[in-house]
Amino acid sequence: MATKIIGKVSATEKSPSTVDDFYFWTDKKTILSPFDVVKVHHVKNEKGKNSITYGVVEEIFHITDATSHITSYLSSDFGEVEDKGNMYRLGMNYVKAKVVCNTDNIYTPVLDGQQVETCDEDDVLTALGLKNPKNPVVCGYLKMYQEPNQIEIPISVNSHFLIGPEGAHLNISGISGLAAKTSYAMFLLKNIQQKFLNKDFEEREDKNQSVAFIFFNVKGRDLLALNEPNEKLPDGDKRIYKNMGWDTAPFKNVKFYYPFSSNKNVENVQSYVETEHVRKQIDLNEAFKYKYIYEQDRDNLDLLLANEDDSTGTLDSIVNLVLNNQGNFGQIQTWTKFLDEIQNRMEAKSTDNGKDAILPTSWRKFKRVITKAIGNDVFSGRAIVEANNEVRLNEAVKQIKKNEVMVIDVARLDEDTQSFVFGDVARAVYDLKLGGDEEKLCRKREDIPGKIIIFVDELNKYASTDVPKKSPILRQLLDIAERGRSLGIILFSAEQFKSAIHDRVKGNCATHAYGRTNAIEISKADYRFIPKVYQNMMTRLEQGEYIIQNPVFRSLINIKFPRPTYKQL
């Protein structure tokens, strides 16, 4: 696309050009939008060479020569709305643009009267620092200017600033449903898998890198057909994929893990997906049923207390007592017997003599907290039957393969059980990446994926400001956010309200994606650094549209993305 002169720089006494921003006027008929990129030819340097300063449009104003609103009113024949008026008003638009770069790193202010032009695709990529990115992974596309000058540009980000080693972790926020948070996360993750599956990938500098994925399905049936093509993909989205040169295949190497159920009529799973769909996945050896066995999984009892405020440490003391096999707990082998022993403790006067005795009231609270979760079929009294595709999640995670996708369905579980499953998986990933010799892990170190990306929606359940500070799951998430990058554990998370998430979790995310949100949310401190006009745009963003912040971007960018290429049940 050819560039077009649209105005001139205007530096006034009250609004001078600075190293950070400049103003320019345009014709009233020129249509620009926030996030559009413009360029100004800088004065010649000492070598007699022109440089170019690029700016991103922040605010757009319209003014006339009227000194007040009443002047404008009088000029329309004293308020005649149908009348064209008895005076011709001089008017124009003027624009505030934020300086994002100069081609020769010259940051003296642009001069008054310099022509301002639109940009072509090469200019836009140069301005935003996205030209020829290293280790590229697709994150969306830019749509800029209006017809007939409109351009669409595919945008790729340096994956080293998204999934390490330079930067890591992604946080996505926005209103439920309207922001399409899960769809955008899957769009990114699908492109990451495609990058690592590319046949030419091993010949590049990242040849020793590999990746695997763990997704939690927390709502309905969102992620339970990731490996099936989207036959209902609209033609408009097909055109976008084709024009951008993007692959339309669904995820590959996907395995689904459903909570175990004793009900054989639903294929022994707890899920919102149709039984026929689960049966088909089981027949293809793509679906498995996970459950927890007391003898092997009691070490994670503390995870059931993640949402309980234990300021006195009493609940923690009970967990330690159980794990140390004190009293009759050393002979227990099932969850049922475990609950029976707790009942016995409730009926006794106390657990031990002395000042450290645990009172029956504490045992009653402990039972109240864990009974609902342990009453679920996923806490099974029966051993794992591999012939029925039954597994322990902990073991399945530790056997995850390169480029494999694990989808763990927790949608039908109660909140405490969901927390238990998430915490169990997070610990298993940590054990896999951090500790254990090859004999213990039953696999060679070189077979373990270099990076494991965990995607979890509704992050507020595990890392909100309301979660107890001693929550073991919160501690796990903080550890992943702060140390995960160096270990190859990457967190992709989503929630409705970013302001409600723990500061250390969101503060360690290198990339932030802002979808449509409400005015109350954008008034919070998390959005203070964002220009006011961009904040207002966040309340009007459409589905498939995000404002992205990443260390490699010289400015916030407004990207779009098409609908997912996988089947949505």
Side-chain angles (χ1 to χ4, degrees):
M1 183 200 80
T3 62
K4 177 184 177 183
I5 297 174
I6 56 173
K8 290 184 177 181
V9 174
S10 176
T12 67
E13 182 179 356
K14 293 184 178 180
S15 300
S17 296
T18 71
V19 296
D20 293 320
D21 51 50
F22 62 90
Y23 294 81
F24 64 93
W25 56 260
T26 71
D27 181 81
K28 288 185 291 186
K29 296 181 180 179
T30 299
I31 299 177
L32 290 173
S33 302
F35 295 105
D36 284 353
V37 180
V38 295
K39 64 180 180 180
V40 179
H41 288 274
H42 222 292
V43 293
K44 291 184 178 181
N45 58 23
E46 295 178 354
K47 298 180 180 180
K49 180 182 177 183
N50 281 329
S51 64
I52 297 175
T53 292
Y54 292 101
V56 175
V57 172
E58 282 195 353
E59 296 189 76
I60 304 171
F61 308 87
H62 175 72
I63 60 171
T64 69
D65 60 347
T67 57
S68 66
H69 294 301
I70 195 170
T71 306
S72 179
Y73 172 84
L74 294 175
S75 66
S76 288
D77 199 15
F78 295 89
E80 287 294 331
V81 294
E82 301 295 336
D83 191 82
K84 291 184 179 180
N86 53 19
M87 178 180 288
Y88 179 76
R89 287 289 175 198
L90 297 177
M92 70 167 189
N93 291 350
Y94 74 97
V95 179
K96 179 184 178 182
K98 174 187 174 183
V99 175
V100 289
C101 83
N102 178 275
T103 52
D104 286 343
N105 290 322
I106 297 173
Y107 287 100
T108 55
V110 294
L111 300 183
D112 180 75
Q114 290 293 111
Q115 292 179 330
V116 179
E117 303 176 44
T118 58
C119 297
D120 57 25
E121 294 184 10
D122 188 71
D123 284 325
V124 172
L125 295 176
T126 299
L128 298 177
L130 299 172
K131 189 174 182 180
N132 300 320
K134 296 180 179 179
N135 315 297
V137 61
V138 173
C139 70
Y141 69 97
L142 291 178
K143 181 181 284 188
M144 199 167 291
Y145 310 129
Q146 300 291 321
E147 295 290 357
N149 301 312
Q150 189 175 88
I151 57 176
E152 291 183 347
I153 311 171
I155 298 299
S156 293
V157 63
N158 186 337
S159 63
H160 284 191
F161 288 87
L162 181 64
I163 58 174
E166 305 299 336
H169 313 312
L170 165 72
N171 183 259
I172 307 173
S173 58
I175 296 174
S176 180
L178 295 176
K181 300 184 293 294
T182 301
S183 295
Y184 185 59
M186 292 301 110
F187 175 77
L188 273 177
L189 291 163
K190 160 65 173 48
N191 293 328
I192 292 172
Q193 188 192 47
Q194 180 183 336
K195 170 186 172 66
F196 281 82
L197 283 172
N198 192 312
K199 292 181 179 179
D200 298 329
F201 179 75
E202 293 185 358
E203 300 177 6
R204 298 196 293 269
E205 58 181 298
D206 297 47
K207 61 183 179 180
N208 294 322
Q209 292 294 324
S210 57
V211 68
F213 308 86
I214 299 175
F215 304 158
F216 287 89
N217 181 64
V218 300
K219 294 181 297 187
R221 304 171 294 178
D222 282 1
L223 307 179
L224 301 179
L226 288 182
N227 56 347
E228 299 182 39
N230 184 1
E231 297 176 352
K232 297 181 180 180
L233 190 66
D235 291 338
D237 291 293
K238 290 180 181 178
R239 178 190 64 80
I240 293 171
Y241 278 104
K242 182 179 179 180
N243 290 351
M244 301 297 163
W246 297 340
D247 182 22
T248 56
F251 282 89
K252 296 178 173 62
N253 307 328
V254 185
K255 292 182 178 179
F256 301 91
Y257 294 82
Y258 297 98
F260 173 79
S261 170
S262 59
N263 187 350
K264 294 183 178 180
N265 293 329
V266 290
E267 287 295 325
N268 294 111
V269 302
Q270 303 176 58
S271 178
Y272 288 109
V273 75
E274 290 82 1
T275 304
E276 294 75 14
H277 185 79
V278 177
R279 186 178 297 118
K280 176 184 174 183
Q281 292 177 335
I282 291 175
D283 291 342
L284 295 172
N285 205 36
E286 295 174 347
F288 302 86
K289 310 157 195 176
Y290 65 85
K291 57 185 178 180
Y292 294 97
I293 310 301
Y294 178 80
E295 289 183 289
Q296 297 169 299
D297 295 299
R298 66 175 191 150
D299 289 348
N300 288 331
L301 269 177
D302 60 322
L303 298 176
L304 289 173
L305 311 174
N307 298 319
E308 288 295 319
D309 188 5
D310 185 27
S311 57
T312 62
T314 306
L315 298 180
D316 192 41
S317 296
I318 293 178
V319 171
N320 290 331
L321 185 149
V322 174
L323 298 185
N324 290 329
N325 293 324
Q326 292 181 315
N328 295 328
F329 286 105
Q331 289 77 46
I332 293 175
Q333 297 179 337
T334 67
W335 295 108
T336 302
K337 294 293 185 183
F338 174 62
L339 290 177
D340 290 342
E341 180 59 22
I342 294 175
Q343 182 66 35
N344 293 336
R345 299 290 177 134
M346 290 166 49
E347 295 172 357
K349 291 184 178 180
S350 65
T351 300
D352 297 297
N353 295 321
K355 63 178 182 179
D356 295 326
I358 299 176
L359 300 175
T361 52
S362 298
W363 283 103
R364 278 195 286 272
K365 180 179 180 181
F366 181 74
K367 185 177 181 181
R368 175 183 59 79
V369 171
I370 68 170
T371 296
K372 184 177 181 180
I374 292 180
N376 191 289
D377 285 348
V378 76
F379 292 91
S380 177
R382 297 186 297 170
I384 300 294
V385 182
E386 294 184 5
N388 294 337
N389 279 34
E390 296 176 3
V391 297
R392 288 184 62 239
L393 268 182
N394 191 285
E395 295 174 355
V397 168
K398 291 179 180 178
Q399 296 303 315
I400 194 169
K401 299 176 182 177
K402 296 176 181 179
N403 289 313
E404 187 174 84
V405 179
M406 288 182 65
V407 180
I408 301 171
D409 188 14
V410 296
R412 292 202 69 164
L413 300 178
D414 64 83
E415 190 169 317
D416 289 335
T417 311
Q418 286 185 4
S419 297
F420 183 91
V421 174
F422 176 78
D424 176 52
V425 170
R427 284 182 177 177
V429 172
Y430 236 77
D431 289 343
L432 177 64
K433 296 293 292 181
L434 187 62
D437 53 31
E438 293 185 359
E439 184 177 348
K440 182 178 179 180
L441 293 172
C442 300
R443 64 190 303 187
K444 295 180 179 179
R445 276 286 162 192
E446 57 265 29
D447 293 334
I448 297 174
K451 303 179 190 300
I452 298 178
I453 302 175
I454 301 173
F455 169 68
V456 58
D457 199 352
E458 299 184 7
L459 182 65
N460 53 288
K461 287 184 178 181
Y462 316 111
S464 76
T465 52
D466 296 327
V467 171
K469 294 180 179 180
K470 293 184 178 181
S471 165
I473 295 178
L474 176 59
R475 290 200 302 267
Q476 193 80 53
L477 279 168
L478 291 174
D479 213 15
I480 290 174
E482 294 170 347
R483 297 179 56 208
R485 176 181 58 83
S486 60
L487 298 173
I489 306 174
I490 312 302
L491 180 66
F492 277 36
S493 56
E495 74 286 323
Q496 292 185 43
F497 304 116
K498 187 185 190 72
S499 61
I501 301 302
H502 196 290
D503 287 342
R504 285 165 60 190
V505 174
K506 61 191 176 188
N508 279 287
C509 291
T511 306
H512 298 268
Y514 302 90
R516 184 170 178 174
T517 189
N518 60 50
I520 296 175
E521 172 67 5
I522 63 173
S523 67
K524 303 294 178 62
D526 293 85
Y527 303 82
R528 194 170 295 162
F529 76 98
I530 299 174
K532 189 64 178 178
V533 66
Y534 293 175
Q535 292 181 21
N536 293 336
M537 283 187 66
M538 287 181 183
T539 66
R540 303 190 297 268
L541 293 174
E542 299 178 356
Q543 279 188 322
E545 188 175 13
Y546 269 88
I547 294 175
I548 308 294
Q549 176 193 7
N550 181 277
V552 299
F553 299 162
R554 292 179 177 145
S555 171
L556 295 172
I557 65 171
N558 181 206
I559 63 96
K560 300 177 185 293
F561 69 99
R563 289 174 176 82
T565 57
Y566 61 87
K567 184 177 181 179
Q568 295 177 293
L569 298 175

